[in-house]
Amino acid sequence: MMSDYLRYGLSISRKNGLFLAAFLTVFFLAMRALGLAHEYYLRVFNALILILLIGRGILSYRSKLEEERYGTFFDLYRISLRTAFIGVALFSVFLAIYLDQIDPAFMQEIQEVESPVPFMSPVMAAGIVFIEGLGSSLIFSYLVIQFLKKPTVEFKTEKA
């Protein structure tokens, strides 16, 4: 018998990972078009996008389960991390291509204004975004799972 994670979790995380990559790309391009790409406080919206799609994946997985249960913590955590990995990896690849081929002037601007090292390449910049995205997804996945779990019921017993 196939586990619920294999039956539902892989496709849910793949779909939500693709949505995550699309939303991050659209948000980045919108911020770039509005001239707000250097405003670091707007990175909060990247976190919100990540949290919403992780939560969407968890709720979607729980709705597919046949029994009234949530799925194990590790299944939910794997779905969350796989969603984040797919989305952040695809966005990082897009970012490397964007900085190298589409807008090298932006890469030059990053090197001059914000880079701690003068030899930062588009691949290094995308790698930093990838590591940051996966690091935050480790924390956000745990928090979202805890936030979405159902409350437990305590049975009161009579003392003799």
Side-chain angles (χ1 to χ4, degrees):
M1 185 171 168
M2 185 182 288
S3 73
D4 289 332
Y5 174 75
L6 293 175
R7 185 178 312 140
Y8 306 118
L10 295 177
S11 64
I12 288 170
S13 60
R14 182 174 41 249
K15 180 176 72 171
N16 286 313
L18 292 173
F19 280 138
L20 177 61
F23 284 132
L24 289 174
T25 301
V26 167
F27 181 68
F28 171 76
L29 292 174
M31 292 301 99
R32 185 73 182 125
L34 295 172
L36 299 171
H38 290 292
E39 301 297 331
Y40 287 115
Y41 66 89
L42 293 173
R43 294 171 120 188
V44 168
F45 292 109
N46 288 341
L48 290 176
I49 292 168
L50 180 64
I51 289 168
L52 289 174
L53 283 163
I54 286 172
R56 181 176 184 254
I58 290 169
L59 292 174
S60 179
Y61 178 72
R62 284 188 6 205
S63 72
K64 299 272 187 190
L65 298 178
E66 296 164 7
E67 301 170 5
E68 180 60 37
R69 62 183 182 93
Y70 329 67
T72 67
F73 172 81
F74 291 110
D75 285 347
L76 298 176
Y77 203 64
R78 286 193 300 179
I79 290 168
S80 301
L81 291 182
R82 190 167 188 268
T83 297
F85 179 81
I86 291 169
V88 172
L90 290 174
F91 176 69
S92 296
V93 169
F94 161 76
L95 188 61
I97 293 168
Y98 180 86
L99 292 174
D100 189 47
Q101 300 296 319
I102 299 171
D103 195 359
F106 186 49
M107 184 66 219
Q108 183 67 31
E109 199 176 316
I110 290 171
Q111 288 173 334
E112 292 171 359
V113 176
E114 299 173 23
S115 176
V117 293
F119 53 85
M120 180 176 278
S121 69
V123 173
M124 285 178 66
I128 291 169
V129 168
F130 178 75
I131 291 169
E132 180 183 309
L134 278 186
S136 51
S137 71
L138 290 168
I139 297 165
F140 291 145
S141 294
Y142 178 78
L143 293 175
V144 169
I145 290 168
Q146 296 305 311
F147 183 74
L148 292 178
K149 74 180 182 181
K150 295 178 184 175
T152 58
V153 177
E154 291 185 29
F155 293 104
K156 297 185 181 197
T157 58
E158 292 182 28
K159 294 185 180 183

